[in-house]
Amino acid sequence: MNTATDWRKARDIAYRVGQGITLASHSVPLTDAIGHTLAEPVRAANPLPAFDTVAMDGYAIRGEGPWRLEDTDQLAGTVADPLSSGHARRIATGAQLPPGTDGIIRLEDSTESNGQVNGPHQPDWRHVGEEINLGDTLFSSGRTVTPALAGFAAAAGNDEVSVWSPPTTRLAVFGDELVSQGPARDGKIRDSLGPMLPAVLDSLGAAGSAAVHVADTPEDHLRALENPHSTITLTTGGTMHGPVDYLHPTLQRLNATYHVNTVAVRPGFPMLLAETDSGIVCGLPGNPQSALIAIVTLVAPLIDGMLRRDPPDLSTVTVADDIAGRGDCTRLALVDHDGRLVAHHGSAMLRGVAAARGFAVVPPHAGARAGQELSFLSLSGISY
């Protein structure tokens, strides 16, 4: 068997493989862009503010007071005529500042009597371009479009943005022992990955598709991998060399190039990343937690690379329990919001995953002590 790839190195390899794949890009309205990844930078089509504007209701004044109140109010959305010396004009929040204005009297600080207004004033308005100038870059490519990003892009005069088309995926679930409906019985096991993984792939920025169950025969495996019509084909199970594990022989028949073949991580060891003439193949272990670890180890960095996002990074967590190491393998240990190990964390179990905040990363040849700070891989959007 090939030497297993270091966990961090495997993530780097997957990211670089993704960078080598070019996806299509297209322009979409801002309301349709949320959740997609920018293919081009977004720049300001107008400065912000686009003109000098007031930030509160009050009075625009010019010259010395008390000021004679004009009959016309300055409302938002109207062009401001110049203000005469000795005059005041009621002005609404967001309205254009009248030329010649020396100061603003806040409404709550004003006194109005006999057609005149008085009160303390100051040059209290927002200047054109205070937030951003015309042509400035709002966001670089590789950013995920969030509601706030879309709102800022709209405020800066944009109607559309260029986004990458999400990589398409196909999920092939191997195993005659699996059933897709009803309770497990008669030696059969209920498939949990088919319902879970398409949504996980969507959350990572790919276009998830419904799982296809593939029989444990060489020819069914070959048909599943020959012409997938997708950017990434994910398989579950069959990543070892058991009596009905046909994934490796099928990849050999397709003259696949292996980028990663097993990763030194527990759980999740027997995972792979390969490439055929038909596209990328990610082989996930059949055990549910191990399959999820393969997703965050290989698939998430792969998609990040395709979408030209920044390389995946880790945060930190202070663990509340001692955590045993796993020899020369990295251990990904499920922890909750308090940094405590969760129960039911076996490779075949999802109960612990559903209760966890993410994985504490225990380095090879080491354990961890309570109170120690470790790298942390979040499961945000997957488990909570």
Side-chain angles (χ1 to χ4, degrees):
M1 182 178 294
N2 295 336
T3 302
T5 305
D6 174 78
W7 180 73
R8 291 178 183 268
K9 182 178 179 180
R11 284 166 56 82
D12 291 340
I13 292 171
Y15 183 76
R16 292 197 299 271
V17 171
Q19 285 183 304
I21 297 170
T22 301
L23 301 172
S25 62
H26 57 287
S27 293
V28 295
L30 286 169
T31 51
D32 296 332
I34 294 171
H36 291 271
T37 304
L38 293 174
E40 297 177 5
V42 181
R43 294 184 171 85
N46 57 247
L48 279 177
F51 43 82
D52 290 346
T53 181
V54 298
M56 77 293 292
D57 294 337
Y59 299 86
I61 58 92
R62 182 177 185 182
E64 298 296 324
W67 296 270
R68 181 180 176 184
L69 186 60
E70 295 183 349
D71 293 333
T72 303
D73 296 340
Q74 189 68 51
L75 302 178
T78 61
V79 176
D81 293 327
L83 189 61
S84 300
S85 182
H87 283 227
R89 186 182 303 164
R90 292 187 186 88
I91 192 164
T93 301
Q96 186 178 45
L97 189 76
T101 297
D102 292 324
I104 301 293
I105 304 174
R106 293 173 178 261
L107 185 63
E108 59 269 26
D109 297 332
S110 66
T111 301
E112 186 178 328
S113 177
N114 298 322
Q116 292 185 322
V117 66
N118 209 345
H121 63 87
Q122 55 186 333
D124 195 0
W125 58 81
R126 298 179 63 211
H127 296 275
V128 60
E130 181 180 310
E131 187 173 358
I132 199 160
N133 292 311
L134 175 67
D136 282 355
T137 299
L138 309 181
F139 306 102
S140 59
S141 58
R143 285 286 301 272
T144 299
V145 182
T146 62
L149 187 154
F152 187 31
N158 293 279
D159 299 319
E160 297 183 337
V161 291
S162 177
V163 298
W164 292 114
S165 298
T168 56
T169 63
R170 183 170 187 264
L171 178 59
V173 177
F174 297 156
D176 289 343
E177 75 279 12
L178 299 174
V179 293
S180 57
Q181 290 183 324
R185 60 166 64 93
D186 302 327
K188 300 289 187 180
I189 302 168
R190 177 64 190 267
D191 170 37
S192 59
L193 295 176
M196 178 176 71
L197 293 187
V200 171
L201 294 167
D202 283 339
S203 74
L204 296 174
S209 61
V212 175
H213 286 257
V214 178
D216 284 332
T217 71
E219 294 309 314
D220 282 300
H221 278 55
L222 183 63
R223 280 191 291 270
L225 298 183
E226 264 186 320
N227 296 298
H229 304 294
S230 60
T231 317
I232 309 169
T233 297
L234 298 99
T235 65
T236 69
T239 51
M240 292 296 285
H241 300 276
V244 290
D245 289 344
Y246 297 117
L247 178 57
H248 287 285
T250 303
L251 290 172
Q252 291 172 5
R253 291 175 68 178
L254 294 172
N255 298 312
T257 298
Y258 283 82
H259 297 290
V260 174
N261 187 4
T262 68
V263 177
V265 64
R266 299 290 184 179
F269 174 81
M271 63 181 76
L272 65 87
L273 178 63
E275 193 166 356
T276 73
D277 290 340
S278 300
I280 299 294
V281 177
C282 291
L284 316 180
N287 276 333
Q289 188 188 154
S290 291
L292 185 59
I293 286 176
I295 289 283
V296 298
T297 299
L298 297 178
V299 181
L302 176 73
I303 293 171
D304 284 338
M306 289 181 179
L307 295 174
R308 307 300 189 263
R309 297 171 180 159
D310 290 338
D313 200 4
L314 302 175
S315 57
T316 59
V317 64
T318 300
V319 295
D321 300 305
D322 293 346
I323 305 176
R326 288 292 185 267
D328 58 0
C329 289
T330 297
R331 179 183 178 184
L332 297 188
L334 288 167
V335 295
D336 63 17
H337 285 265
D338 297 319
R340 296 192 176 280
L341 281 171
V342 302
H344 308 288
H345 50 70
S347 176
M349 300 179 180
L350 284 176
R351 182 174 177 178
V353 172
R357 177 185 166 216
F359 294 105
V361 182
V362 182
H365 311 292
R369 295 290 186 184
Q372 184 176 340
E373 187 176 78
L374 296 176
S375 295
F376 178 71
L377 185 60
S378 174
L379 286 174
S380 176
I382 297 175
S383 67
Y384 67 95

